[in-house]
Amino acid sequence: MNYRVLLSGMAILNLVFGLTVPAFSQAVSLSGKLTCVLINKEEVQLFPAQDNPMGFYYLPNNLRLSTTETLQPEFLFMSWKSEASAETDNGVMHWLLTWGLSKEQEKEVQNCLIAKVDSNAIVMGALTVEAPEKFLLSGKNKDLIALLQGSLSSGAGIPTQPGGKSASSFRFLGEDARKVEQTLNSLDKWDGIFIEMPFYWTDGHPAHTLRLAAKTIMQSGTKCSECVIIPK
C-alpha cells in the first residue's frame, strides 16, 4: 500500500486502492514499514519512498528538552517574593522541546537499514506530517496537570519538522508558585505527567504520537544551576 504525504482529497483513494496521485511532497509505501531500535531502546518507524525503495523517511521521534550549542538545557524556573510577601508568591517557568534524530542516532538508523535492507539503503529525512496547534498534558497527577494548564501563558505548540522547537511559558501566582517551587526539591512529584504530541497524516488519519515524561524535563532542566533561580 502506498501513501502520499500532503494529498488533500485524494489521500483516501490512495490509501484504499494504492493509486498513484500527483503531489508535491514525499510518497511512501506503508506496506514497506521498518522499525529500527536505537541504543536507548526507542523505536524509529521508517517507510520507503515510492519512487526510490532504497530511500527511507522516518516518523517523528526522540522528543526531548532542547539544548544550546554548548549543551545547556533550554529551561528556566524563577521564583520571587513581592514586596508585601514574606514567602514566594510569583514564579515563571520556560522550556523548549524539540524532536528528531541526533547525528549519532541517524548513524544508528543508517546501520539498521543496511543490515535489514541493503547497503544502498539511506535515511532521507523525516516525513512531512501535520499536528494540532498545542500539545497535550496527560497522566494520573491531575492536580499538578490542572495547575500547569491553568498557568500556561503562551506556547505549547507542536513543531512538524525535526529540529523545530516548542516553546512554553508558565506564570505561577501565590500558592501555585510555592507548590511548583517545592517540587524542585522532590522531582518525584512530577511522576505521572506526560507531554503528548500527536501527529497525523495529512488526510487526518493518526500517524504517531510522541510522549515525554515531564519528570524527564525537570530532571534535565534543574541540573543546570543557572537555569533555576529561587530567592534565599
Side-chain angles (χ1 to χ4, degrees), residues 77-93:
F77 177 85
M78 181 171 64
S79 60
W80 65 93
K81 305 172 185 177
S82 62
E83 291 184 4
S85 178
E87 56 186 350
T88 297
D89 60 355
N90 280 273
V92 294
M93 182 167 67

PDB file of all heavy atoms in Angstrom, residues 77-93:
ATOM      1  N   PHE A  77      13.472  28.104  35.457  1.00  0.00           N
ATOM      2  CA  PHE A  77      12.474  28.292  36.514  1.00  0.00           C
ATOM      3  C   PHE A  77      12.977  29.420  37.396  1.00  0.00           C
ATOM      4  O   PHE A  77      14.113  29.396  37.869  1.00  0.00           O
ATOM      5  CB  PHE A  77      12.259  27.040  37.363  1.00  0.00           C
ATOM      6  CG  PHE A  77      11.285  27.293  38.493  1.00  0.00           C
ATOM      7  CD1 PHE A  77       9.925  27.192  38.272  1.00  0.00           C
ATOM      8  CD2 PHE A  77      11.729  27.694  39.750  1.00  0.00           C
ATOM      9  CE1 PHE A  77       9.017  27.478  39.288  1.00  0.00           C
ATOM     10  CE2 PHE A  77      10.831  27.984  40.769  1.00  0.00           C
ATOM     11  CZ  PHE A  77       9.468  27.878  40.531  1.00  0.00           C
ATOM     12  N   MET A  78      12.126  30.406  37.638  1.00  0.00           N
ATOM     13  CA  MET A  78      12.493  31.527  38.503  1.00  0.00           C
ATOM     14  C   MET A  78      11.302  31.893  39.381  1.00  0.00           C
ATOM     15  O   MET A  78      10.167  31.979  38.906  1.00  0.00           O
ATOM     16  CB  MET A  78      12.900  32.744  37.672  1.00  0.00           C
ATOM     17  CG  MET A  78      13.317  33.942  38.517  1.00  0.00           C
ATOM     18  SD  MET A  78      14.048  35.295  37.523  1.00  0.00           S
ATOM     19  CE  MET A  78      12.640  35.767  36.513  1.00  0.00           C
ATOM     20  N   SER A  79      11.556  32.053  40.661  1.00  0.00           N
ATOM     21  CA  SER A  79      10.507  32.477  41.592  1.00  0.00           C
ATOM     22  C   SER A  79      11.001  33.668  42.392  1.00  0.00           C
ATOM     23  O   SER A  79      12.201  33.901  42.515  1.00  0.00           O
ATOM     24  CB  SER A  79      10.107  31.325  42.524  1.00  0.00           C
ATOM     25  OG  SER A  79      11.220  30.876  43.288  1.00  0.00           O
ATOM     26  N   TRP A  80      10.068  34.438  42.952  1.00  0.00           N
ATOM     27  CA  TRP A  80      10.443  35.610  43.735  1.00  0.00           C
ATOM     28  C   TRP A  80       9.311  36.003  44.681  1.00  0.00           C
ATOM     29  O   TRP A  80       8.196  35.492  44.584  1.00  0.00           O
ATOM     30  CB  TRP A  80      10.815  36.778  42.823  1.00  0.00           C
ATOM     31  CG  TRP A  80       9.697  37.328  41.977  1.00  0.00           C
ATOM     32  CD1 TRP A  80       8.863  38.367  42.267  1.00  0.00           C
ATOM     33  CD2 TRP A  80       9.295  36.862  40.676  1.00  0.00           C
ATOM     34  NE1 TRP A  80       7.975  38.587  41.258  1.00  0.00           N
ATOM     35  CE2 TRP A  80       8.219  37.666  40.253  1.00  0.00           C
ATOM     36  CE3 TRP A  80       9.730  35.839  39.831  1.00  0.00           C
ATOM     37  CZ2 TRP A  80       7.570  37.502  39.040  1.00  0.00           C
ATOM     38  CZ3 TRP A  80       9.091  35.659  38.612  1.00  0.00           C
ATOM     39  CH2 TRP A  80       8.040  36.479  38.225  1.00  0.00           C
ATOM     40  N   LYS A  81       9.663  36.912  45.583  1.00  0.00           N
ATOM     41  CA  LYS A  81       8.696  37.411  46.560  1.00  0.00           C
ATOM     42  C   LYS A  81       8.322  38.848  46.185  1.00  0.00           C
ATOM     43  O   LYS A  81       9.194  39.653  45.852  1.00  0.00           O
ATOM     44  CB  LYS A  81       9.302  37.416  47.964  1.00  0.00           C
ATOM     45  CG  LYS A  81       9.847  36.077  48.433  1.00  0.00           C
ATOM     46  CD  LYS A  81      10.590  36.247  49.749  1.00  0.00           C
ATOM     47  CE  LYS A  81      11.264  34.950  50.194  1.00  0.00           C
ATOM     48  NZ  LYS A  81      12.050  35.131  51.429  1.00  0.00           N
ATOM     49  N   SER A  82       7.062  39.152  46.276  1.00  0.00           N
ATOM     50  CA  SER A  82       6.654  40.547  46.103  1.00  0.00           C
ATOM     51  C   SER A  82       7.021  41.320  47.371  1.00  0.00           C
ATOM     52  O   SER A  82       7.311  40.726  48.419  1.00  0.00           O
ATOM     53  CB  SER A  82       5.144  40.636  45.838  1.00  0.00           C
ATOM     54  OG  SER A  82       4.420  40.134  46.953  1.00  0.00           O
ATOM     55  N   GLU A  83       7.016  42.623  47.315  1.00  0.00           N
ATOM     56  CA  GLU A  83       7.449  43.438  48.454  1.00  0.00           C
ATOM     57  C   GLU A  83       6.608  43.192  49.700  1.00  0.00           C
ATOM     58  O   GLU A  83       7.104  43.269  50.817  1.00  0.00           O
ATOM     59  CB  GLU A  83       7.367  44.926  48.067  1.00  0.00           C
ATOM     60  CG  GLU A  83       8.396  45.338  47.031  1.00  0.00           C
ATOM     61  CD  GLU A  83       8.343  46.819  46.753  1.00  0.00           C
ATOM     62  OE1 GLU A  83       7.561  47.522  47.427  1.00  0.00           O
ATOM     63  OE2 GLU A  83       9.086  47.291  45.871  1.00  0.00           O
ATOM     64  N   ALA A  84       5.333  42.868  49.499  1.00  0.00           N
ATOM     65  CA  ALA A  84       4.438  42.704  50.650  1.00  0.00           C
ATOM     66  C   ALA A  84       4.387  41.272  51.172  1.00  0.00           C
ATOM     67  O   ALA A  84       3.658  40.973  52.112  1.00  0.00           O
ATOM     68  CB  ALA A  84       3.026  43.158  50.271  1.00  0.00           C
ATOM     69  N   SER A  85       5.192  40.388  50.576  1.00  0.00           N
ATOM     70  CA  SER A  85       5.106  38.979  50.951  1.00  0.00           C
ATOM     71  C   SER A  85       6.374  38.502  51.640  1.00  0.00           C
ATOM     72  O   SER A  85       7.490  38.909  51.296  1.00  0.00           O
ATOM     73  CB  SER A  85       4.846  38.124  49.708  1.00  0.00           C
ATOM     74  OG  SER A  85       4.804  36.751  50.049  1.00  0.00           O
ATOM     75  N   ALA A  86       6.189  37.614  52.603  1.00  0.00           N
ATOM     76  CA  ALA A  86       7.332  37.030  53.317  1.00  0.00           C
ATOM     77  C   ALA A  86       7.778  35.717  52.683  1.00  0.00           C
ATOM     78  O   ALA A  86       8.784  35.135  53.091  1.00  0.00           O
ATOM     79  CB  ALA A  86       6.968  36.797  54.774  1.00  0.00           C
ATOM     80  N   GLU A  87       7.027  35.240  51.709  1.00  0.00           N
ATOM     81  CA  GLU A  87       7.361  33.981  51.043  1.00  0.00           C
ATOM     82  C   GLU A  87       7.102  34.098  49.540  1.00  0.00           C
ATOM     83  O   GLU A  87       6.476  35.062  49.079  1.00  0.00           O
ATOM     84  CB  GLU A  87       6.546  32.827  51.642  1.00  0.00           C
ATOM     85  CG  GLU A  87       5.052  33.046  51.612  1.00  0.00           C
ATOM     86  CD  GLU A  87       4.299  31.944  52.332  1.00  0.00           C
ATOM     87  OE1 GLU A  87       4.918  30.932  52.682  1.00  0.00           O
ATOM     88  OE2 GLU A  87       3.088  32.098  52.519  1.00  0.00           O
ATOM     89  N   THR A  88       7.592  33.116  48.810  1.00  0.00           N
ATOM     90  CA  THR A  88       7.432  33.120  47.348  1.00  0.00           C
ATOM     91  C   THR A  88       5.963  33.267  46.967  1.00  0.00           C
ATOM     92  O   THR A  88       5.107  32.556  47.491  1.00  0.00           O
ATOM     93  CB  THR A  88       7.977  31.808  46.754  1.00  0.00           C
ATOM     94  OG1 THR A  88       9.382  31.726  47.017  1.00  0.00           O
ATOM     95  CG2 THR A  88       7.718  31.740  45.270  1.00  0.00           C
ATOM     96  N   ASP A  89       5.680  34.210  46.066  1.00  0.00           N
ATOM     97  CA  ASP A  89       4.302  34.343  45.591  1.00  0.00           C
ATOM     98  C   ASP A  89       4.234  34.631  44.087  1.00  0.00           C
ATOM     99  O   ASP A  89       3.176  34.927  43.545  1.00  0.00           O
ATOM    100  CB  ASP A  89       3.546  35.424  46.368  1.00  0.00           C
ATOM    101  CG  ASP A  89       4.190  36.793  46.253  1.00  0.00           C
ATOM    102  OD1 ASP A  89       5.286  36.881  45.651  1.00  0.00           O
ATOM    103  OD2 ASP A  89       3.605  37.764  46.750  1.00  0.00           O
ATOM    104  N   ASN A  90       5.386  34.513  43.402  1.00  0.00           N
ATOM    105  CA  ASN A  90       5.427  34.670  41.950  1.00  0.00           C
ATOM    106  C   ASN A  90       6.451  33.700  41.372  1.00  0.00           C
ATOM    107  O   ASN A  90       7.488  33.420  42.000  1.00  0.00           O
ATOM    108  CB  ASN A  90       5.830  36.092  41.553  1.00  0.00           C
ATOM    109  CG  ASN A  90       4.684  37.079  41.645  1.00  0.00           C
ATOM    110  OD1 ASN A  90       3.917  37.237  40.704  1.00  0.00           O
ATOM    111  ND2 ASN A  90       4.557  37.729  42.807  1.00  0.00           N
ATOM    112  N   GLY A  91       6.184  33.210  40.192  1.00  0.00           N
ATOM    113  CA  GLY A  91       7.140  32.325  39.546  1.00  0.00           C
ATOM    114  C   GLY A  91       6.852  32.198  38.060  1.00  0.00           C
ATOM    115  O   GLY A  91       5.722  32.413  37.610  1.00  0.00           O
ATOM    116  N   VAL A  92       7.900  31.878  37.308  1.00  0.00           N
ATOM    117  CA  VAL A  92       7.760  31.613  35.881  1.00  0.00           C
ATOM    118  C   VAL A  92       8.574  30.363  35.548  1.00  0.00           C
ATOM    119  O   VAL A  92       9.556  30.039  36.221  1.00  0.00           O
ATOM    120  CB  VAL A  92       8.232  32.789  35.004  1.00  0.00           C
ATOM    121  CG1 VAL A  92       7.327  34.002  35.186  1.00  0.00           C
ATOM    122  CG2 VAL A  92       9.684  33.137  35.302  1.00  0.00           C
ATOM    123  N   MET A  93       8.152  29.681  34.508  1.00  0.00           N
ATOM    124  CA  MET A  93       8.910  28.535  34.006  1.00  0.00           C
ATOM    125  C   MET A  93       8.817  28.550  32.483  1.00  0.00           C
ATOM    126  O   MET A  93       7.739  28.761  31.927  1.00  0.00           O
ATOM    127  CB  MET A  93       8.361  27.223  34.571  1.00  0.00           C
ATOM    128  CG  MET A  93       9.143  25.997  34.112  1.00  0.00           C
ATOM    129  SD  MET A  93       8.723  24.493  35.062  1.00  0.00           S
ATOM    130  CE  MET A  93       7.007  24.225  34.545  1.00  0.00           C
TER     131      MET A  93
END
